[in-house]
Amino acid sequence: MAVARALDGRLLATALLVCACFGSIHAYGVLLAPLELWLGTGRAAACLGYSAAVLALTAGVYVNGRLPGSVSDRTRLVACGVIAAGGLTGAALWPGLASLVIGFGLAYGLANGAAYGLALGIAARSMPGREATAMGIATAAYGLGAVLFAQVFDIVIVLLTMNWLLLLWAALLLFACLVGAVLAGPASAVLRQSVPEQTAARSAGVVPLWAAYLLGAFGGLMVLAHAPGIAAGLSGPTASAGLASGVVSGGSVVGGYLGGVLAERLSRRWSIALPLVVQSAAVMALLTVSALSLVISALGVIGLCYGALISAVPAVVRQTWGDGGFADAYGKVFTAWGIAGLAGPAAAGFLFDLTDHYVLALVAACALSLAGAVLTLCFRD
């Protein structure tokens, strides 16, 4: 029994390496201004690359779940590296808005989603008996990658042209996937070939979990995507945008780990409902405070709860559908995040433009988070 529960360091290292490197996609915001100058476009056009990436990333998680179980993790990782590197290389060698959308957005986004979904499954198998914690660590590594690469890109873009940055980015992703493929081994996808018997019986459970994830992520992203603006609106124009973004990002990374821990110690219902209850309370607190320290603290708590949510959901999916059904079920549930990622920030922006403040957006975010928690508590454990 002790051998069966031993940590597989090679698999965990694979998951962490892949998540940290592919988390770089969410550092895109640092490159917006340089991309505008490089392509000669406006801010809205430059944002199309990331919007396309969110859609493709969602599709990538889904596609990974639909691939036959006979396709090994090694093959999947190599394919992700080649597609991601090819997309970024194309965007670098043929500059233009279309190349950015196709190369970065669609190609890298698709590979990113597939690699992320695959890495979560690999992480779970690396720690038998503590699968949820392992998935939380991998989720935290993905968020940490976004934070670290934002700092790296901010420095490197001053030293290199955008072409060279994209080429080096491509080389790094390919290298990470090749190293991960060596560490993962050729036969690590065997467990996915047989789906647990309870999968069919519990297939209907995808819908309520999907809906709860949509509501919670939608509410969280309405706030987090506008954290600097909310801090300035509540505490005055002197509020530091960098501080707000940094606290939110740090909270999300810590929450990613805590979500996995919660999924091991609480019931499936409460591991998702608790972050959403706390998230709704923190959003409500923003409606009543103005001191910068309190506003930043509340934003940090919301970031932590969002990180816990996106970590707990895949853990719950695996607990419910098992290793054999995880990739397929999570691919379906993850589409909720794709919708929230596109529509949540836009909805908050629309409500701000409509009212010239964030009060209505915060009320909506609070209501959505609470609704997600209530729906989650209706689950059967």
Side-chain angles (χ1 to χ4, degrees), residues 18-225:
V18 171
C19 282
C21 290
F22 277 87
S24 60
I25 196 170
H26 299 296
Y28 186 85
V30 175
L31 301 177
L32 269 178
L35 281 170
E36 288 180 55
L37 295 174
W38 186 54
L39 299 175
T41 64
R43 180 62 53 92
C47 287
L48 289 177
Y50 186 70
S51 298
V54 170
L55 288 173
L57 192 159
T58 305
V61 176
Y62 181 81
V63 168
N64 177 65
R66 302 302 296 174
L67 291 175
S70 57
V71 181
S72 71
D73 292 342
R74 173 173 287 180
T75 301
R76 295 174 190 232
L77 283 170
V78 171
C80 288
V82 170
I83 293 172
L88 290 176
T89 299
L93 298 181
W94 293 280
L97 183 58
S99 295
L100 179 70
V101 171
I102 296 172
F104 176 89
L106 300 183
Y108 178 32
L110 183 69
N112 194 291
Y116 175 63
L118 174 60
L120 289 178
I122 292 175
R125 294 196 297 280
S126 74
M127 296 176 64
R130 299 202 64 193
E131 293 88 352
T133 293
M135 296 172 82
I137 295 172
T139 303
Y142 190 76
L144 184 61
V147 175
L148 293 178
F149 274 95
Q151 304 307 313
V152 171
F153 289 162
D154 196 35
I155 297 172
V156 172
I157 195 60
V158 178
L159 306 174
L160 300 175
T161 63
M162 182 60 68
N163 308 66
W164 277 107
L165 186 148
L166 291 174
L167 289 174
L168 290 175
W169 197 354
L172 174 65
L173 293 174
L174 181 58
F175 177 75
C177 286
L178 292 178
V179 172
V182 173
L183 293 174
S188 51
V190 173
L191 288 175
R192 280 196 296 271
Q193 293 179 6
S194 58
V195 179
E197 294 179 1
Q198 69 265 33
T199 299
R202 292 178 174 176
S203 60
V206 168
V207 175
L209 181 57
W210 180 92
Y213 194 15
L214 173 66
L215 292 170
F218 202 111
L221 288 171
M222 286 184 73
V223 178
L224 299 183

Side-chain angles (χ1 to χ4, degrees), residues 267-307:
S267 67
R268 282 191 282 263
R269 291 186 298 174
W270 276 106
S271 61
I272 295 176
L274 181 59
L276 291 181
V277 169
V278 177
Q279 178 172 289
S280 63
V283 176
M284 188 179 299
L286 283 175
L287 293 167
T288 63
V289 300
S290 59
L292 180 59
S293 60
L294 296 178
V295 170
I296 294 298
S297 297
L299 288 172
V301 171
I302 296 168
L304 185 144
C305 291
Y306 172 77

Side-chain angles (χ1 to χ4, degrees), residues 197-361:
E197 294 179 1
Q198 69 265 33
T199 299
R202 292 178 174 176
S203 60
V206 168
V207 175
L209 181 57
W210 180 92
Y213 194 15
L214 173 66
L215 292 170
F218 202 111
L221 288 171
M222 286 184 73
V223 178
L224 299 183
H226 293 265
I230 290 173
L234 296 177
S235 301
T238 58
S240 170
L243 176 62
S245 297
V247 168
V248 162
S249 298
S252 181
V253 171
V254 175
Y257 171 72
L258 291 179
V261 175
L262 287 176
E264 283 188 357
R265 288 162 171 73
L266 301 178
S267 67
R268 282 191 282 263
R269 291 186 298 174
W270 276 106
S271 61
I272 295 176
L274 181 59
L276 291 181
V277 169
V278 177
Q279 178 172 289
S280 63
V283 176
M284 188 179 299
L286 283 175
L287 293 167
T288 63
V289 300
S290 59
L292 180 59
S293 60
L294 296 178
V295 170
I296 294 298
S297 297
L299 288 172
V301 171
I302 296 168
L304 185 144
C305 291
Y306 172 77
L309 173 68
I310 63 174
S311 174
V313 167
V316 167
V317 169
R318 193 188 183 283
Q319 291 168 352
T320 306
W321 282 272
D323 191 54
F326 168 73
D328 182 38
Y330 185 57
K332 296 173 183 175
V333 172
F334 191 77
T335 59
W337 179 89
I339 296 173
L342 282 175
F350 171 77
L351 292 175
F352 177 82
D353 290 339
L354 191 66
T355 61
D356 202 31
H357 56 69
Y358 280 106
V359 173
L360 192 55

